[in-house]
Amino acid sequence: MDSVEIQRPEVLILLDCMGVNLAKNTKIPDDALNKRFGQTLDGAQRFADLLAPITPVNPSSLSKWKSTDVLLKAVSRLNMAEAYQNMISGRNRVAAPTSTSQEDTFTEVRQVLMGIANHYQQGHKTFVMNDNEGLWCIIARVVDVHIVPSTKDVPIFSILYKVVHRPSNMGLNTHLGQIFGKTVVSISTTQLERKYLLKLFAMNTRRLFSDYKPRRERHEGTTA
């Protein structure tokens, strides 16, 4: 079974693609390196000025995102709409990513998040993030979208997610069909992109209000 944990060389790649350049043979201890990675992830999501003031976060106490507001525009800090269109084609089928290069992971993750926002705006809430290799995937459902209190146009997503591995007796897509019994939106991702997302989800899960317990469907796991 493939590990979903980010390995040290992958942390260095992810830091590099987010602008933190360290030598591949750096002697920085793993704990310090992972701390640096977490701090960089928080910088990317503007944790200090957007989320820290309301942590622990209780989504139930926040105003809901207005359905008339365009999520895709709000999620994107850069004009990546054209790149997003290159990634997603069709409503319910796997689309090829713009790049599978590990060095492009940060850019590609941003496009994945844009894809989720756009599909959610179209009425889709459940997503499968996988690849052609089909060894493991992330199942994610957007429970709701709220507004960061200190802003008028910054969304905060409440997401239930779970890692699913391919069973030994069937393909992953067949297994997913048994889980859902219907077609859901599938977004193509690399393993490193999914590992990045799992790290981000896990960090934010620890910042949720302990009493926040959204309703789960039978296949769902952790909240982020």
Side-chain angles (χ1 to χ4, degrees), residues 87 96-105 108 111 189-190 193:
M87 183 190 76
T98 303
S99 171
T100 57
S101 171
Q102 290 185 324
E103 288 71 20
D104 293 331
T105 297
E108 294 302 310
Q111 293 187 46
T189 54
T190 65
E193 289 162 18

Side-chain angles (χ1 to χ4, degrees), residues 90-94 123-128 173 176-187:
R91 294 173 55 188
N92 292 315
R93 56 196 174 104
V94 177
H124 304 284
K125 295 185 177 182
T126 301
F127 307 88
V128 173
N173 286 335
L176 292 173
Q178 292 182 351
I179 291 174
F180 293 110
K182 61 180 180 180
T183 301
V184 298
V185 173
S186 184
I187 299 178

Side-chain angles (χ1 to χ4, degrees), residues 6 37 41-42 45 51 109 112-113 116 127-129 136-142 157-163 187 189 193-208 221-224:
I6 299 178
F37 180 43
L41 284 176
D42 274 342
Q45 66 175 342
L51 299 178
V109 166
V112 169
L113 296 176
I116 290 174
F127 307 88
V128 173
M129 289 170 265
W136 64 277
C137 69
I138 301 174
I139 295 175
R141 177 170 66 88
V142 179
F157 288 76
S158 178
I159 294 176
L160 285 164
Y161 69 97
K162 181 179 182 179
V163 173
I187 299 178
T189 54
E193 289 162 18
R194 295 195 300 279
K195 290 180 179 182
Y196 178 112
L197 287 166
L198 288 175
K199 174 68 174 180
L200 183 65
F201 290 167
M203 286 173 53
N204 289 339
T205 295
R206 294 192 291 270
R207 293 158 172 167
L208 283 171
T222 310
T223 313

Side-chain angles (χ1 to χ4, degrees), residues 17-210:
C17 72
M18 288 189 285
V20 180
N21 307 118
L22 299 172
K24 292 182 179 180
N25 61 348
T26 178
K27 302 300 183 182
I28 298 176
D30 288 349
D31 288 348
L33 189 64
N34 288 327
K35 182 178 180 180
R36 183 73 174 272
F37 180 43
Q39 291 171 338
T40 305
L41 284 176
D42 274 342
Q45 66 175 342
R46 296 173 58 195
F47 174 79
D49 60 318
L50 295 178
L51 299 178
I54 60 172
T55 299
V57 180
N58 182 4
S60 300
S61 68
L62 304 178
S63 299
K64 289 192 175 184
W65 185 265
K66 297 178 182 178
S67 60
T68 55
D69 295 339
V70 180
L71 272 179
L72 180 58
K73 180 179 179 180
V75 169
S76 175
R77 295 183 196 165
L78 299 173
N79 183 14
M80 298 175 65
E82 181 177 353
Y84 162 73
Q85 290 298 335
N86 291 335
M87 183 190 76
I88 300 293
S89 64
R91 294 173 55 188
N92 292 315
R93 56 196 174 104
V94 177
T98 303
S99 171
T100 57
S101 171
Q102 290 185 324
E103 288 71 20
D104 293 331
T105 297
F106 180 58
T107 299
E108 294 302 310
V109 166
R110 289 167 61 88
Q111 293 187 46
V112 169
L113 296 176
M114 290 169 65
I116 290 174
N118 191 57
H119 282 301
Y120 180 82
Q121 195 77 54
Q122 295 174 7
H124 304 284
K125 295 185 177 182
T126 301
F127 307 88
V128 173
M129 289 170 265
N130 58 7
D131 56 29
N132 291 331
E133 195 172 8
L135 298 177
W136 64 277
C137 69
I138 301 174
I139 295 175
R141 177 170 66 88
V142 179
V143 177
D144 222 328
V145 182
H146 296 84
I147 302 172
V148 176
S150 60
T151 74
K152 294 182 180 179
D153 58 357
V154 176
I156 182 169
F157 288 76
S158 178
I159 294 176
L160 285 164
Y161 69 97
K162 181 179 182 179
V163 173
V164 175
H165 290 269
R166 182 181 66 189
S168 59
N169 60 343
M170 69 180 72
L172 184 58
N173 286 335
T174 301
H175 182 50
L176 292 173
Q178 292 182 351
I179 291 174
F180 293 110
K182 61 180 180 180
T183 301
V184 298
V185 173
S186 184
I187 299 178
S188 182
T189 54
T190 65
Q191 286 201 33
L192 189 56
E193 289 162 18
R194 295 195 300 279
K195 290 180 179 182
Y196 178 112
L197 287 166
L198 288 175
K199 174 68 174 180
L200 183 65
F201 290 167
M203 286 173 53
N204 289 339
T205 295
R206 294 192 291 270
R207 293 158 172 167
L208 283 171
F209 183 57
S210 59

